[in-house]
Amino acid sequence: MSESIPSPHEHIVFTEFDDTEGVLVDLNSKRYYTLNETAMIIWRGLEQKRTREEIIRDITDAYDVTAEHAAQSLDKLVATLQARKLLPADGGR
Amino acid sequence: QDKKPFVEPIVSVPVDVLEATA
């Protein structure tokens, strides 16, 4: 069974500056966050409601990294996004 | 081939929009 990850909140706006940097603006808290290139791939996957496995594949297709390493990095970023209330907690899809 | 070196995904610390626009 494929694992799903919560989708971003409606009040979080994502803007891509170029292929290397993006910005998330939280319209509720009036705060913004910058994302690096790898984090942008993950965020786009979350916006498109891709499964965990699909996002891991996106990362391994673009970067020289093992699926295991990509999975750990994905989980770590998702936890950070949830801690900053940019993503709902698990099941908040 | 054709794969970029992996960089850990990073989300920055929050910045207050009002502070930034002041």
Side-chain angles (χ1 to χ4, degrees):
Chain A
M1 195 184 94
S2 63
E3 289 182 63
S4 65
I5 304 176
S7 296
H9 287 299
E10 293 284 326
H11 60 271
I12 308 296
V13 178
F14 173 56
T15 303
E16 201 171 319
F17 281 147
D18 49 35
D19 286 341
T20 60
E21 192 175 42
V23 170
L24 296 176
V25 180
D26 184 334
L27 297 176
N28 284 357
S29 69
K30 306 285 192 292
R31 288 178 165 179
Y32 74 86
Y33 305 76
T34 56
L35 299 178
N36 69 354
E37 188 178 334
T38 330
M40 282 201 306
I41 286 185
I42 293 172
W43 186 265
R44 277 196 296 257
L46 297 173
E47 281 188 327
Q48 293 163 8
K49 303 187 190 305
R50 292 169 73 76
T51 65
R52 185 171 178 274
E53 289 75 17
E54 287 172 332
I55 295 174
I56 290 167
R57 201 177 314 126
D58 290 341
I59 297 169
T60 55
D61 284 350
Y63 297 98
D64 190 9
V65 64
T66 64
E68 195 176 2
H69 185 168
Q72 287 175 353
S73 300
L74 168 62
D75 292 342
K76 202 184 296 183
L77 184 79
V78 166
T80 305
L81 292 170
Q82 288 176 325
R84 298 199 172 146
K85 302 192 187 314
L86 297 168
L87 269 186
D90 289 336
R93 197 156 195 163
Chain B
Q1 298 293 309
D2 301 329
K3 287 192 179 184
K4 292 185 273 190
F6 181 67
V7 178
E8 288 296 332
I10 296 169
V11 55
S12 73
V13 295
V15 178
D16 196 310
V17 172
L18 296 176
E19 278 178 24
T21 55

